Amino acid sequence: MIANVSGNHIAVGLTGLGFYAPERVLTNEDLAAMVDTSDEWITTRTGIKERRIAEPEQAASDLALPAARRALEQAGVTAEELDLVVVATATPDMLFPATAAILADELGATRAAAYDLLAGCTGFVYALSQVYGAVAAGLSRRALIVGAEVLSKITNWQDRSTCILFGDGAGAAVVQPITAGGIVGFELGADGSGGLDLCVPAGGSRRPVSPDVLEQELQFIKMNGAEVFRFATRVMVSSAEELLAACDATVEDVDLYVPHQANKRIVDHVVRNLGLDPEKVLMNIDRYGNTSSASIPICLAEAQADGLLQEGTRVLISAVGAGLTWGSVYLTWTTRGEE
Ligand code: UT7
């Protein structure tokens, strides 16, 4: 689906950002002591140097909570004022209840509807589009979206083709009506025919956990890396191009490009193909690895802390992930809440 929403009656923006990354750092050297790999291979093939790993007792909501509190504080919104909480995650605390409901309770968001959304690494962009719709339609006035992942718990630490990629973290944003600017458009899609190229085969209703599942290690991430790589480079380019065209914009209009931090080589390829100035590209994969739905809000929160998000900054965001899904959003940065 694709839409230029700039003509809509209610302008919608991100009025507060926050993120949290667990303290424990796992370096490439640490991984080289666990599987047959090297810092050199991981760095040149992915751009990753280190990633954060949650403590055994930490679940997705534990990472989401501090990120959400920071976003609320920055927006000047209290938890009681929230009417909607959406958590994008592929690693919920439990299959149900939703991590969003657990988070809303911990925050004290007693007036909010709360649900989880599953779109893999595209989860934050999907959540933003859903919440955009709710706010633009007048259904929600103060919403919170969080991308939160504890991928280390579904990673096979003996599989060198996946364990080097992923990290844990959470990023949050408050979404509200604003006076002007804000979200200009979305482009989203899914191609379920490639779903098995990036999946956790068991633990759902198709293959419930059993001794057999555990023996075959089907409770962990399985990935056809080369296929996902090809898919990602293709759709991140086409999604951005189609969205910019729908928004009557070109790559020259983009001040800041925030790509999902999947692999530096994927991003380099996309940037080259789009003809984007590499100076405008945000990367932090070297420090966090691929944190799935958390990667974009963590990037945004860091960009803001670095002064890269000013009133009027035009931001292009693109993501790709399990589903397979993809999505882009184009927005003009402004935090001026509605008067
Ligand atoms: O958000 C979406 C989530 N997923 C992704 O973004 C993943 C997209 N895919 C990728 O990022 C890349 O495909 C990987 C980083 C996963 C793999 O990189 P690649 O350049 O596609 O490597 P490859 O799978 O083609 O493997 C090349 C070689 C193989 O050895 P042979 O068969 O050529 O002898 C692998 O066995 O590299 C080997 N290899 C490794 N060697 C050292 C695979 N993983 C490792 C490793 N260390 N960790």
Side-chain angles (χ1 to χ4, degrees):
M1 72 191 194
I2 185 163
N4 176 342
V5 297
S6 58
N8 285 2
H9 178 58
I10 299 179
V12 178
L14 283 64
T15 57
L17 293 168
F19 82 98
Y20 171 79
E23 274 168 34
R24 194 176 142 212
V25 174
L26 186 73
T27 65
N28 290 348
E29 285 80 12
D30 295 333
L31 279 165
M34 295 159 62
V35 289
D36 182 13
T37 191
S38 64
D39 173 46
E40 201 265 333
W41 193 95
I42 302 170
T43 305
T44 54
R45 295 291 181 122
T46 70
I48 300 167
K49 298 296 285 183
E50 60 186 42
R51 68 287 292 145
R52 302 296 185 90
I53 303 294
E55 296 304 320
E57 67 278 9
Q58 279 183 311
S61 67
D62 300 319
L63 274 52
L65 187 62
R69 286 202 173 122
R70 283 169 199 163
L72 287 170
E73 187 181 24
Q74 194 183 89
V77 168
T78 64
E80 302 82 60
E81 289 173 321
L82 289 172
D83 48 34
L84 181 58
V85 176
V86 179
V87 174
T89 184
T91 49
D93 288 25
M94 297 173 237
L95 271 180
F96 66 84
T99 301
I102 296 168
L103 176 67
D105 179 55
E106 287 172 344
L107 285 169
T110 49
R111 293 179 48 248
Y115 66 92
D116 288 359
L117 185 154
L118 178 57
C121 305
T122 320
F124 187 82
V125 176
Y126 264 58
L128 186 56
S129 75
Q130 294 249 304
V131 166
Y132 167 82
V135 175
L139 181 60
S140 166
R141 301 285 303 169
R142 292 176 190 86
L144 173 74
I145 56 175
V146 187
E149 303 286 3
V150 193
L151 296 165
S152 60
K153 305 266 182 111
I154 57 165
T155 296
N156 183 344
W157 291 102
Q158 266 118 52
D159 176 6
R160 69 175 183 173
S161 69
T162 54
C163 73
I164 50 122
L165 278 181
F166 300 108
D168 300 334
V174 175
V175 182
Q176 288 181 267
I178 53 171
T179 46
I183 291 166
V184 180
F186 289 99
E187 198 280 330
L188 304 170
D191 178 1
S193 71
L196 294 183
D197 287 331
L198 179 54
C199 67
V200 176
S205 57
R206 177 73 58 199
R207 286 201 81 165
V209 175
S210 66
D212 187 39
V213 158
L214 298 179
E215 200 197 321
Q216 294 181 58
E217 301 184 319
L218 299 178
Q219 75 277 30
F220 295 129
I221 298 170
K222 295 273 181 296
M223 185 176 71
N224 179 347
E227 205 43 60
V228 176
F229 194 101
R230 265 193 294 278
F231 183 84
T233 47
R234 180 166 58 80
V235 298
M236 280 180 73
V237 172
S238 60
S239 179
E241 282 179 343
E242 286 166 28
L243 175 60
L244 288 174
C247 295
D248 303 317
T250 69
V251 281
E252 272 77 48
D253 296 316
V254 175
D255 297 315
L256 193 65
Y257 176 55
V258 184
H260 166 50
Q261 308 287 301
N263 181 327
K264 185 170 185 301
R265 280 164 53 225
I266 293 178
V267 176
D268 288 346
H269 182 282
V270 171
V271 167
R272 255 194 325 273
N273 276 266
L274 285 174
L276 258 164
D277 177 355
E279 296 280 306
K280 296 175 173 176
V281 181
L282 217 75
M283 289 304 291
N284 65 13
I285 194 170
D286 54 325
R287 286 174 291 126
Y288 298 112
N290 178 349
T291 57
S292 190
S293 66
S295 97
I296 283 168
I298 292 175
C299 274
L300 286 173
E302 286 200 334
Q304 188 182 49
D306 291 344
L308 297 174
L309 291 175
Q310 301 293 333
E311 290 289 323
T313 303
R314 285 161 302 190
V315 185
L316 174 67
I317 297 170
S318 282
V320 58
L324 298 173
T325 57
W326 68 89
S328 298
V329 53
Y330 187 49
L331 56 103
T332 304
W333 193 259
T334 171
T335 55
R336 277 169 294 140
E338 214 179 40
E339 272 125 38

